[in-house]
Amino acid sequence: MNIGQSDYDSTKIQKLEGLEGVRKRPDMYIGDTNERGLHHCVFEIVDNSIDEALAGYCKTIRVELHVDGSCSVEDDGRGIPVDIHEKYKIPALELVMTNLHAGGKFGKGAYQVSGGLHGVGAKCVNAVSEVFDVEVRRDGHVHYMKFAKGKTVEKLKIIGDSQKTGTRITFLPDAEIFLTTREFKYEILAKRLRELAFLNPGIQVTLNDERVEKSEVFRFDEGIRQFVSFLDRGKTILHGEPILIHGEAVADPDKPELKTTVDIALQYNDGYSDQIYAYANSICNVEGGTHLSGFRTALTRVINAYAKSSNMLKEKDPIISGDDVREGLTAVISVKVPDPRFEGQTKTKLSNGEMDGIVQKIVGDNLKYTFETDPALAKKIVDKCINAARAREAARKARETVRKGALSGGGLPGKLADCSEKDPSLCELFIVEGDSAGGSAKQGRNRKYQAILPLRGKVLNVEKARLDKMLNSDAIRTIITACGTGIGSSNDVGGFDANKCRYHKIIIMTDADVDGSHIQTLLLTFFFRQMKELIERGYIYVAQPPLYKIKRKRKERYVDNDDQLNEILLELGMEDMALVRARDEHVFDKNHVSEIVSIFSRLEQLGSGVVRNGCALPTYLDAHDIETRTLPRYMVRIRTGHTESFKFLRDEEDRAGFFLENNIDGGGFDGAISRDIELNGQIVRQRISAHEIYGAQQMCECLKKLEALGIDIATFAPTDQPRYFLSEIGPADAKKSERLEIFSGLEMVAKIRELGRKGLTIQRYKGLGEMNADQLAETTMDPEKRRLLQVTIADAAAAEATFSMLMGEDVEIRRAFIEDNALNALYLDI
């Protein structure tokens, strides 16, 4: 008998109830528990709103990022049903938020087309959130339910009346699940929301970030035509408007009412790279699928057929390949499929086999008709493809020539100081600007796994060069040889192969000045255009030298960023200082002072929403309940004529009562009315607006911690008499005239930072050129101490546009960018 076999019985078999399975294995449902999975949670909720839009019931979607780290998604759709489910005897809302595979998208009664399929999206977000609130406007009422970690916390209740319809979900990601980050990135969300607005013409999607007071509204009535124009901005296009292709098909003859819709927009520019984005039911399929393969096949076939039938393709010309027809192509493929099948919950690839044939036929018929009716357009496109084929052949010959020299028999470039380690996953390549910095890097490196490649002279701008011209550049050939990946199409013999990369960390290390930034941009352009897969695999990094060097007396420290500088200023401000409570001369424990200061800093951050809506933070904090130590969840701003006042509401019931009393519809994003009232015999304009304070709960926790540490939390407004002192020596011997007086707890942080700057020299650090080998190794190369910025492509469309704008031929758009952003630059190297 095997060891332990006797212990394996029915008691070892577990059945996870409710959403426990999601919490145990979240990666299965949201992709991962890092940045990608965090943002996928937002997209799951938004996709439900988009499904309402596809069904014709939703026109506006609003996504808000709050100061407490939570996110709200609201739509004006029908609202999730709240009636009691006949079979399960609980509200439908509770059923769909707490039970896997419960939803309205399995049959076709509620949704003919949808992106949500598996009945796991919103409830998975519920499972991985420490707070998950749902408001539903439906049937003349505002319904509310509260969940936490997948379980019901507050049962369904009516908290107000509203003639509007829709759903609002607010969730705070759970720190027990998302261990690496819980911070939503505006750019990642903006990219996806912009896509959704392009793919669903007429839908208005708003993104509002309360943390940095940034907001955008996305609405595109011309849909994917505008999407392609957006992707091609900054490029020189070969023809006028994008070509539009539209068609419908019935995949199952037994269900003629279930139609598949295909919409494609495509346009050619004079560039050398392609941008093709594929979507199914508004879901971005980053790995493509059958709709993408059908499009590619049809495009190549039609262009080849037209080139031959019009005698544009000569006998000596090479055959036009798929790579050739995609050179300079920008296309968006959007299909609406009644019964889509995806690979995995994150829906990265469409796998419906019938879609290949459907898209091939629709694209083939439409594109053939377009070419026949507009020969001038067809000629421009076919000429572009033939030139691409000729250039590909020339590049192949140039690559063969180079391979016989520097890329093969010649071995590694002479300037490369290689490492001894042979396992690529352990090896690092530093691409260093200039021979002098390269010399310091060689002295400071770890020879076992760190290789140094110094570059001298200007790196070629590959945005403006084809492969054959690129291979004439010494710097480019050196990089290709050092990396070992080859270059060119992966379909060609000897072409690019990411698996042959000799280093899994390629680190661009340049000076923090204008020249260094330019070289960094040129290198990133090369990797983005010619070795994009290395970026996608996470192999490309940018070294982050320290931003400041600070000095006080004989101590020197390197500082990476402004946040770290602020922390150090607080630390230095309390050096040799005592915090004293004025009313009883109590000296706070030195270890507790940093915690107190940190909590006050957090309070300021969480209270930024209160301040933004016109109320002083001390006024709001002083509205906390002395007994329960809780803060109001809602704040009402009342502006009457030239006067302003604030009213604080504890909870949803208080808000509902206030809305009812003031005849405000409780179903808006924030309740607000403007009206004329009589005041002192005169008619004046009054505006009332209600705002939810999303940081209220976390601010309550801060108050409790401060009280436990001995801070008086009865009042936060400044007083006439000092509340605390900062003293350089113990209170028993201190002269009171030498004490620094603090009149409120919130003043404390600013005062301590002020002290921290005394006697401190802060030098803005430009980087490599000012460092010797030891400093360079310590700050920028030592894996234990350095900071590396991994280059990713969160928004490929934005990256494409940025590289075209910065490095392309359009001077006017680049000049406009410089003029628009010149005043935003914090540091100029002039």
Side-chain angles (χ1 to χ4, degrees), residues 420-553:
S420 58
E421 177 62 58
K422 299 304 178 188
D423 182 352
S425 65
L426 303 176
C427 295
E428 302 177 350
L429 173 65
F430 286 85
I431 301 177
V432 186
E433 170 194 355
D435 287 337
S436 59
S440 295
K442 287 177 184 177
Q443 293 176 42
R445 68 174 175 144
N446 185 320
R447 294 171 183 269
K448 177 174 171 54
Y449 62 91
Q450 291 181 327
I452 309 296
L453 179 64
L455 293 180
R456 185 170 60 183
K458 186 180 177 183
V459 178
L460 178 71
N461 179 8
V462 302
E463 186 73 19
K464 304 176 183 179
R466 267 201 173 110
L467 187 58
D468 50 342
K469 180 183 175 184
M470 195 186 313
L471 292 173
N472 290 324
S473 165
D474 289 338
I476 295 297
R477 284 207 309 270
T478 300
I479 294 171
I480 297 168
T481 310
C483 292
T485 57
I487 197 69
S489 172
S490 57
N491 297 322
D492 294 339
V493 177
F496 176 79
D497 184 354
N499 294 318
K500 294 182 179 178
C501 188
R502 301 179 63 246
Y503 311 92
H504 287 187
K505 270 194 174 71
I506 299 172
I507 302 163
I508 299 170
M509 192 161 70
T510 61
D511 285 347
D513 57 13
V514 171
D515 289 338
S517 297
H518 187 211
I519 292 170
Q520 185 183 112
T521 305
L522 290 166
L523 289 170
L524 287 173
T525 304
F526 167 71
F527 285 116
F528 181 75
R529 291 300 186 200
Q530 299 298 326
M531 297 184 174
K532 194 173 182 179
E533 191 176 342
L534 297 187
I535 299 179
E536 293 169 343
R537 291 191 180 197
Y539 291 178
I540 308 298
Y541 295 80
V542 175
Q544 299 286 281
L547 188 61
Y548 301 104
K549 182 167 70 175
I550 61 174
K551 184 176 181 180
R552 175 183 269 179
K553 298 177 182 176

Side-chain angles (χ1 to χ4, degrees), residues 569-575 579 593 597 726 740 742 747-758:
L569 289 176
L570 290 173
E571 179 187 319
L572 294 174
M574 284 310 301
E575 204 172 61
L579 178 65
V593 174
V597 172
L726 283 170
L740 187 63
I742 298 174
E747 253 188 271
M748 194 180 297
V749 176
K751 294 280 188 184
I752 292 174
R753 281 201 190 110
E754 199 177 302
L755 284 173
R757 287 185 179 272
K758 285 189 176 179

